[in-house]
Amino acid sequence: VCRLSWLSALLFLCLLSENTVEASSFASIFGVRHPGRRSKPSTQRLYYSDPNPDPDLNDLEDSVTTEEIDQVLNELLTPNGSLITNPYVPSRRWLYQQWSDSVLAQSIPRAAWNMWGTTLFCVLLRFILYGELDFVQMPGAMEKSPPLHMPVLLEIFQCINVIWKSMSTLTTFLLVFFVSQSFSFWRSTHEVARGIQGHIDDLHLLLATHVSRRRGAGDYSSEAQFFLQDLTSKLKAYHICMWATHARRFRILLTDKGFSRMVAKGVLTIKEKEALDRQLGVPRDRKHYILLEWILFNCKEARRRKIIDGESGMEQAILSKFCALRDCSAQMKAKISTRTPLPYIHLVQILLDFFLMLAPLAQFSELGIFTVLSSGVLTLFYSALFSLATIFLDPFDNEGDFRDGYALMDLAVLVRESDFSSTLLMKAASILKWRGRR
């Protein structure tokens, strides 16, 4: 043990040294680059690849069925009163009843495996130290004299205990901070999603109150009625196709079968589908931008034909809403692709695993067999915190690990609410008359 300790210290000093040949050769063997040395700038371009890419649309085209597509469309189009997130009741009794869907329940298998491994470790160590399998007693409870090497092992475990307690503060702080940052990402994603829905509703409100009307009656003219219906249909198609690019469970709608079923459900017309298919230069997961430009072009033509009333300020307001809608859609893509840097989550995962792995070695000298219980409790709650952070970082369940989790966003609610709001605003502004003074 002493020789290994001296050897470890020597290797550590070699890594810290800058002017010795041994340090440079050791670093070159193990790929360690000293932080004080600057390597030559690389001329090779960086290409990052997604380790979990979106399913290929050609593969989905062959595997998806009409029933699966209809199920997704019914979820998007069928009106109901569901919520975007799972609500809760601030009651201790009610919260304890939700155990089956919690992150704690998902951490139980790992905690059980760690407890089983810690039990084997305690049995083996008890046999090595005392030559018996009566591992229920505390380490220092035996009256007979221990073997000669027992003090050395206990001293090693005590040293590990000091290191582990130092790591405990760092691990707890970093893990809690990681959960906090992940929740901030979840909140910002929800705000952007609601922002997309809000900009669509703003367009419906502006255009429903500024289209041409019949004199005297105050209701929509025939051209305005057709324009608003076409606007509502195209905005709904844009909303659905936009979320199909961000959420993998809606991605099947971007296939040719999905477009055909959207025609059957009235989301698209046959002419619109044919026009989208002719745009071969635009990928299928970017077709929603074509719909957005169609809507903007129709608004410009409607204003030129006096279907939309208002001065230049009205035109500026419409253009700003369209640009804000496009900006929010692009922000959603950027947020999902850059949710957290790889080195950050990599460090948290390794630090957490190393902390839990050292727990039995560090606590055995103080807790004995109760190390099993301590290992299970630590694994249960620390792993649950890490799982909660990963759920917050995947609000649309694109990873597919927590489909029944309670922190996911039901994006279909946004589409249904926007569709209901467009119909409501259109009906609310169907008859508008200037009454003058009361």
Side-chain angles (χ1 to χ4, degrees):
V1 173
C2 295
R3 290 177 180 176
L4 289 176
S5 301
W6 280 107
L7 181 60
S8 300
L10 181 61
L11 292 177
F12 181 74
L13 291 176
C14 289
L15 283 177
L16 295 180
S17 177
E18 292 187 60
N19 302 319
T20 58
V21 178
E22 290 81 0
S24 60
S25 61
F26 183 84
S28 61
I29 292 174
F30 290 94
V32 179
R33 184 173 62 89
H34 195 277
R37 294 175 181 162
R38 291 186 178 181
S39 59
K40 295 182 180 180
S42 175
T43 58
Q44 184 179 4
R45 296 182 61 183
L46 292 178
Y47 292 98
Y48 296 113
S49 59
D50 190 357
N52 187 20
D54 294 330
D56 187 74
L57 291 177
N58 295 325
D59 297 336
L60 289 177
E61 189 73 48
D62 299 332
S63 61
V64 71
T65 62
T66 305
E67 290 75 14
E68 293 175 344
I69 297 175
D70 288 343
Q71 182 179 358
V72 172
L73 286 175
N74 291 334
E75 183 181 354
L76 291 167
L77 302 176
T78 303
N80 55 49
S82 60
L83 302 174
I84 188 172
T85 58
N86 198 357
Y88 66 93
V89 177
S91 169
R92 181 181 291 105
R93 180 179 180 181
W94 185 90
L95 290 174
Y96 272 92
Q97 293 175 353
Q98 314 307 312
W99 175 268
S100 59
D101 295 331
S102 65
V103 290
L104 291 173
Q106 297 171 0
S107 300
I108 287 179
R110 183 180 180 185
W113 276 107
N114 277 15
M115 293 179 68
W116 175 248
T118 305
T119 303
L120 295 179
F121 167 76
C122 292
V123 172
L124 180 62
L125 195 58
R126 186 73 185 185
F127 181 77
I128 293 175
L129 294 178
Y130 298 101
E132 64 176 16
L133 297 178
D134 188 11
F135 62 92
V136 179
Q137 301 184 28
M138 298 293 290
M142 295 294 297
E143 296 181 356
K144 66 178 185 179
S145 59
L148 182 62
H149 59 277
M150 175 185 173
V152 177
L153 289 179
L154 289 182
E155 288 178 3
I156 293 175
F157 290 151
Q158 290 173 359
C159 294
I160 295 176
N161 188 20
V162 175
I163 299 174
W164 182 81
K165 287 181 178 179
S166 302
M167 288 183 57
S168 176
T169 304
L170 175 62
T171 305
T172 304
F173 170 77
L174 187 59
L175 186 59
V176 172
F177 184 74
F178 181 50
V179 174
S180 176
Q181 293 294 103
S182 302
F183 180 66
S184 299
F185 170 81
W186 187 92
R187 288 292 301 270
S188 64
T189 304
H190 177 261
E191 291 174 0
V192 174
R194 286 296 187 183
I196 294 173
Q197 179 190 9
H199 291 313
I200 293 177
D201 293 344
D202 291 343
L203 285 173
H204 285 297
L205 176 64
L206 286 173
L207 295 174
T209 54
H210 286 79
V211 292
S212 60
R213 301 177 180 274
R214 294 191 304 167
R215 291 185 178 180
D219 56 348
Y220 298 129
S221 63
S222 59
E223 296 85 358
Q225 182 79 21
F226 177 80
F227 168 73
L228 290 177
Q229 291 176 352
D230 183 71
L231 172 77
T232 301
S233 176
K234 284 185 171 59
L235 278 176
K236 182 198 297 185
Y238 167 80
H239 207 183
I240 292 175
C241 293
M242 186 272 300
W243 283 124
T245 64
H246 301 321
R248 293 185 181 180
R249 63 192 186 101
F250 298 151
R251 191 170 176 81
I252 57 178
L253 298 179
L254 299 179
T255 61
D256 187 67
K257 293 180 181 178
F259 275 42
S260 299
R261 294 309 301 167
M262 281 195 282
V263 172
K265 294 286 186 178
V267 179
L268 294 172
T269 64
I270 297 179
K271 292 183 178 180
E272 289 172 348
K273 179 184 180 301
E274 293 175 351
L276 290 173
D277 292 338
R278 285 195 296 268
Q279 295 284 353
L280 300 179
V282 180
R284 279 194 171 269
D285 56 355
R286 297 294 185 272
K287 296 287 187 181
H288 57 281
Y289 286 119
I290 300 177
L291 292 169
L292 188 64
E293 291 178 345
W294 285 353
I295 301 169
L296 183 57
F297 178 79
N298 290 344
C299 289
K300 185 187 73 171
E301 287 296 309
R303 178 168 172 76
R304 185 178 65 84
R305 299 180 183 183
K306 305 300 181 181
I307 298 176
I308 299 177
D309 299 328
E311 303 298 330
S312 59
M314 177 61 187
E315 182 179 2
Q316 184 65 28
I318 294 176
L319 291 176
S320 64
K321 287 299 176 183
F322 274 105
C323 292
L325 179 59
R326 185 218 59 82
D327 181 61
C328 284
S329 301
Q331 283 185 34
M332 184 60 67
K333 181 67 175 178
K335 278 184 172 294
I336 295 175
S337 60
T338 58
R339 50 188 177 175
T340 186
L342 172 61
Y344 185 22
I345 190 172
H346 183 261
L347 174 62
V348 175
Q349 179 71 75
I350 292 179
L351 183 63
L352 175 62
D353 292 342
F354 194 68
F355 171 76
L356 295 177
M357 182 184 65
L358 285 182
L361 299 176
Q363 295 182 325
F364 181 79
S365 60
E366 295 181 353
L367 301 181
I369 189 57
F370 293 100
T371 305
V372 177
L373 178 61
S374 175
S375 177
V377 172
L378 288 174
T379 305
L380 178 65
F381 288 100
Y382 275 76
S383 298
L385 282 174
F386 186 80
S387 298
L388 183 61
T390 55
I391 291 176
F392 286 149
L393 290 174
D394 187 23
F396 305 150
D397 192 43
N398 287 335
E399 308 296 337
D401 295 332
F402 303 98
R403 186 63 188 90
D404 298 327
Y406 45 59
L408 303 178
M409 296 183 191
D410 188 1
L411 300 177
V413 174
L414 300 176
V415 178
R416 294 195 299 264
E417 288 181 354
S418 180
D419 187 26
F420 174 78
S421 179
S422 64
T423 305
L424 178 65
L425 292 173
M426 186 175 175
K427 291 181 179 179
S430 59
I431 299 179
L432 294 177
K433 282 187 177 183
W434 171 249
R435 302 292 182 179
R437 293 184 178 180
R438 298 182 60 179

